[in-house]
Amino acid sequence: TDSVLVEPSLYTVKAVLILDNDGDRLYAKYYDDTYPTVKEQKAFEKNIFNKTHRTDSEIALLEGLTVVYKSNIDLFFYVIGSSHENELMLMAVLNCLFDSLSQMLRKNVERRALLENMEGLFLAVDEIVDGGVILESDPQQVVHRVALRGDDVPLTEQTVTQVLQSAKEQIKWSLLR
């Protein structure tokens, strides 16, 4: 017997994608094997971009999946779940990711700034979703944890830019006290 009721699962997120305004991948993390090869992933990303980049809505059903998305300047953010997934849960992930990046990039959420801060993006996504399970939906917590994890990098592995940025931050905070 084929049950219509789907067992609830913690594995809510199938993928998190960020594409540029040509539909090219800047970031993609797939949490299951719905699209096992890079070729299939890229085809799906092209399809999703073509269906969403001219619309004002935030939700699409595509290839049997629920897609929530948001665009900003030259970036398109996507969170993908199964067709029976709660859109509000996926939206919470999307908004948390966007708001976290917005804080981390000082409201400058666009392609160049993102590419200069890919490490922060990787850390943020890892704080929000782990293996498809939503861990966090509060951007304040995500930014805080990313900052802590960023501090764990030994000084030898930090770039000069990171050291200067860290120094600027410390000066700024000491002036704000």
Side-chain angles (χ1 to χ4, degrees):
T1 61
D2 195 23
S3 174
V4 178
L5 250 167
V6 178
E7 281 293 310
S9 167
L10 288 173
Y11 297 95
T12 47
V13 178
K14 287 187 172 287
V16 174
L17 309 172
I18 302 176
L19 307 178
D20 66 14
N21 55 359
D22 295 321
D24 294 322
R25 174 193 289 194
L26 295 176
Y27 176 86
K29 185 144 190 176
Y30 288 83
Y31 295 103
D32 67 6
D33 50 11
T34 305
Y35 300 99
T37 67
V38 173
K39 189 178 174 191
E40 289 171 280
Q41 291 173 3
K42 297 253 184 176
F44 172 67
E45 290 161 23
K46 273 287 180 229
N47 188 9
I48 205 175
F49 180 77
N50 290 335
K51 296 265 193 304
T52 59
H53 78 282
R54 286 201 192 92
T55 62
D56 284 335
S57 61
E58 300 176 318
I59 299 172
L61 286 170
L62 197 70
E63 297 185 23
L65 298 169
T66 302
V67 177
V68 295
Y69 58 97
K70 168 184 216 132
S71 65
N72 192 62
I73 306 173
D74 54 0
L75 296 174
F76 289 82
F77 296 83
Y78 299 92
V79 174
I80 291 120
S82 66
S83 58
H84 56 262
E85 202 47 71
N86 182 333
E87 295 90 354
L88 295 175
M89 295 282 283
L90 298 174
M91 222 49 205
V93 172
L94 180 67
N95 290 330
C96 181
L97 174 61
F98 184 83
D99 295 344
S100 300
L101 287 173
S102 186
Q103 285 181 41
M104 288 159 55
L105 301 175
R106 293 172 188 70
K107 306 244 182 288
N108 188 24
V109 185
E110 46 84 35
R111 186 177 191 271
R112 207 190 70 216
L114 185 71
L115 289 174
E116 289 170 3
N117 291 280
M118 288 303 276
E119 185 183 359
L121 166 64
F122 285 113
L123 291 173
V125 172
D126 287 347
E127 289 295 337
I128 299 167
V129 181
D130 182 27
V133 178
I134 301 170
L135 298 179
E136 185 59 73
S137 62
D138 178 1
Q140 297 294 331
Q141 288 295 319
V142 172
V143 170
H144 178 69
R145 289 197 195 115
V146 166
L148 288 178
R149 285 175 65 179
D151 292 345
D152 289 345
V153 180
L155 209 53
T156 54
E157 291 177 23
Q158 288 185 338
T159 63
V160 175
T161 317
Q162 287 171 317
V163 172
L164 289 173
Q165 191 60 48
S166 175
K168 276 189 211 165
E169 287 293 305
Q170 289 171 354
I171 292 166
K172 185 172 85 181
W173 287 113
S174 64
L175 292 174
L176 289 174
R177 277 197 197 120

